[in-house]
Amino acid sequence: MRYLILITLIWAFSFSFIGEVLAGKVDSYFAVLVRIGLASLVFLPFTKFRGVPTTLKIKIMLIGGVQIGFMYIFFYQSFLFLTVPEVILFTIFTPIYVTLLYDGLKGQFKPLYLISTGVAVLGAYIIRYQNVNSEFITGFLMVQGANICFALGQTAYKKVMESNTNIVQSDVFGYFHFGALIIGIVAFGLFANTDKLSPTLIQWGVLVWLGVVASGLGYFLWNKGACEVDAGVLAIMNNVHVPAGLIVNILIWGTPTNYLLLTLGSGVIAFSWWLHHLFMKHYHTT
């Protein structure tokens, strides 16, 4: 639990750094590649290349490719269509995906969760009901793509590690970043905008912080923490960063926001979160 709390505090700043310092100024595919590349370098000295089953290496690489490789691509693109508070709020769907995917990996399906998902979508609509255009819909779907990748990655990692309790996680976590790096290299080669590959000194500082601290240290401790709690606690912790990220963005950056709609929509989304965990209790007692 302590790992999840620590990384939540670190990640609270990531939303604003990406949205306010990088988005639209530095090519998103370049930013993703640099971030993952630095995280890979952090874990390279700790990675055990011998004595680790090849199937386990491949599984962890696939998980990393999804959880941060594809997730970052969706996530960074979403800032081109949404404000930082909207991106933060729309990540609130992640706990629903965590429980659905974790149950799916265990061969279970709980239809009541679809109700809480629908209520959360209503809350998102309220926040932008006067300006629901194609850009908003694109941004919203980008965030959901990122949410699903993040949820699938952490639940799959949790399940894999539950079957490999004899493995020291720091010995193999480098493969997580290596898998993501492959995705980052391919995406950069295919889609990068070469006119936005010259970050300023401040932007380089943000990229280094995101790569070394938020990614390198962050995802290792987050996934390690995910293995030490049950799926319900993990789902809850996926939403703690929402108020933390909003506070950082509004107080430090002062992003212009329609606070009435933000409050109403946030209330509905919070209700969907409460409803979701009510359903979780229902399933646990039946």
Side-chain angles (χ1 to χ4, degrees):
M1 188 74 170
R2 63 186 183 277
Y3 296 134
L4 300 180
I5 294 173
L6 172 62
I7 300 308
T8 294
L9 295 176
I10 291 175
W11 284 349
F13 289 87
S14 296
F15 295 98
S16 292
F17 284 155
I18 296 170
E20 305 294 346
V21 180
L22 301 179
K25 306 175 184 71
V26 176
D27 178 72
S28 62
Y29 299 102
F30 175 73
V32 168
L33 181 60
V34 170
R35 183 171 180 176
I36 298 174
L38 289 172
S40 298
L41 289 176
V42 169
F43 268 88
L44 184 61
F46 303 100
T47 303
K48 187 175 180 181
F49 292 98
R50 296 183 178 180
V52 178
T54 301
T55 53
L56 180 59
K57 293 178 182 178
I58 293 173
K59 285 179 181 178
I60 296 177
M61 288 180 70
L62 289 173
I63 290 169
V66 172
Q67 187 175 344
I68 61 174
F70 285 114
M71 184 274 283
Y72 279 160
I73 292 172
F74 285 121
F75 188 61
Y76 275 69
Q77 286 292 310
S78 70
F79 285 96
L80 301 178
F81 304 97
L82 302 171
T83 66
V84 175
E86 287 170 342
V87 172
I88 294 172
L89 277 170
F90 297 160
T91 62
I92 205 166
F93 293 79
T94 306
I96 298 173
Y97 301 140
V98 167
T99 50
L100 284 173
L101 289 168
Y102 190 72
D103 288 338
L105 290 173
K106 296 171 66 176
Q108 302 172 349
F109 174 64
K110 298 172 181 177
L112 286 178
Y113 289 161
L114 298 179
I115 298 175
S116 53
T117 304
V119 174
V121 171
L122 174 62
Y125 173 78
I126 290 173
I127 292 172
R128 280 286 288 270
Y129 88 100
Q130 289 180 324
N131 193 25
V132 177
N133 52 30
S134 60
E135 284 200 351
F136 171 76
I137 294 172
T138 300
F140 178 79
L141 293 176
M142 288 286 182
V143 178
Q144 299 321 301
N147 290 344
I148 292 171
C149 289
F150 186 54
L152 179 58
Q154 60 188 297
T155 51
Y157 184 86
K158 177 177 173 63
K159 192 171 187 302
V160 168
M161 287 297 107
E162 287 172 349
S163 302
N164 294 274
T165 54
N166 60 318
I167 296 293
V168 177
Q169 294 186 43
S170 57
D171 289 345
V172 298
F173 202 76
Y175 297 104
F176 176 88
H177 291 299
F178 302 157
L181 184 59
I182 293 172
I183 302 299
I185 291 172
V186 172
F188 176 80
L190 292 175
F191 306 116
N193 180 353
T194 56
D195 294 330
K196 295 183 177 180
L197 301 184
S198 302
T200 64
L201 185 61
I202 292 177
Q203 289 166 342
W204 270 118
V206 169
L207 287 171
V208 170
W209 186 89
L210 290 172
V212 174
V213 180
S215 289
L217 176 66
Y219 282 99
F220 171 67
L221 292 182
W222 181 269
N223 281 12
K224 182 177 176 63
C227 295
E228 298 178 358
V229 299
D230 63 35
V233 173
L234 179 61
I236 293 171
M237 287 304 301
N238 267 273
N239 264 355
V240 175
H241 69 268
V242 173
L246 283 173
I247 290 171
V248 168
N249 185 255
I250 292 173
L251 292 184
I252 296 180
W253 300 94
T255 303
T257 304
N258 185 323
Y259 292 105
L260 176 59
L261 294 182
L262 183 65
T263 301
L264 290 174
S266 300
V268 173
I269 293 176
F271 173 70
S272 74
W273 179 78
W274 173 83
L275 194 63
H276 178 66
H277 290 286
L278 182 67
F279 292 153
M280 285 177 60
K281 291 181 181 179
H282 167 75
Y283 282 120
H284 289 162
T285 55
T286 56

